[in-house]
Amino acid sequence: MSQIQSGIDPSEGPDETGITLSQALEAHLEEKEHSPRTAEGYRYHLDHYLKRYKNRAVVDISRQEVRELFGKLKTKHGETTGASVMRTLRAVINTAMRIDETIEANPVAAIRVPATKSRKVAPLDLGDWWKRVQKLPPARRDLHIAMLL
């Protein structure tokens, strides 16, 4: 309250120094060739899920903020999306650490990013499938056969 009365915004962080997250992303994408889809995904994560941190210096992003962000992402968008965004953030900050020596540690190391769960799909019994598809109306049968191909 005393800061507010003094005209200081307490929600403002310290003055930012060093490479920003968006600059680190561009450096990360230039450092190594990525597929267009991967680069698009990284930029999507930065523009949609990391928007608040985009123009902040990487050195000013705290472990607590990363933990809170991961919790919010898991709650609002699901664990898979949260984990994917955290993997992007970790990779970009690792690149920033190679560029800016004032960054001592990666704040994403404070959380355990779960691995993507593999899906188990039962094998397809083609003989049985073929018999069942032959009983379908012609348009539907042809659709199923086309989808299998």
Side-chain angles (χ1 to χ4, degrees):
M1 291 301 287
S2 65
Q3 287 180 332
I4 294 172
Q5 291 172 347
S6 300
I8 299 170
D9 184 359
S11 64
E12 268 187 27
D15 291 337
E16 296 175 357
T17 56
I19 188 170
T20 65
L21 195 58
S22 58
Q23 291 170 334
L25 174 64
E26 293 308 317
H28 181 73
L29 295 175
E30 290 173 9
E31 188 176 68
K32 176 184 158 193
E33 189 171 332
H34 295 84
S35 73
R37 179 75 177 115
T38 300
E40 179 185 331
Y42 282 0
R43 286 193 173 95
Y44 183 86
H45 286 166
L46 190 71
D47 293 337
H48 290 86
Y49 302 115
L50 301 169
K51 185 177 6 181
R52 180 174 160 211
Y53 305 95
K54 183 177 178 177
N55 296 317
R56 286 188 50 197
V58 173
V59 72
D60 296 334
I61 298 172
S62 71
R63 296 170 76 176
Q64 183 61 34
E65 287 176 307
V66 170
R67 278 194 292 272
E68 290 172 4
L69 173 65
F70 184 51
K72 287 178 185 175
L73 287 172
K74 282 193 317 184
T75 303
K76 190 171 181 182
H77 301 284
E79 187 173 287
T80 303
T81 299
S84 181
V85 172
M86 289 298 112
R87 280 192 290 278
T88 298
L89 183 60
R90 179 176 52 207
V92 170
I93 291 176
N94 283 340
T95 299
M97 289 172 67
R98 288 191 290 277
I99 296 168
D100 187 350
E101 60 206 32
T102 61
I103 305 169
E104 296 177 5
N106 192 329
V108 181
I111 60 171
R112 188 188 75 69
V113 179
T116 305
K117 297 173 184 166
S118 61
R119 296 184 176 144
K120 296 190 180 193
V121 179
L124 181 62
D125 180 4
L126 284 177
D128 180 53
W129 178 85
W130 188 257
K131 288 176 191 171
R132 292 172 56 199
V133 166
Q134 294 304 315
K135 295 176 185 174
L136 294 173
R140 184 120 187 217
R141 177 192 65 221
D142 292 346
L143 175 67
H144 280 272
I145 292 170
M147 295 295 226
L148 179 66
L149 295 175

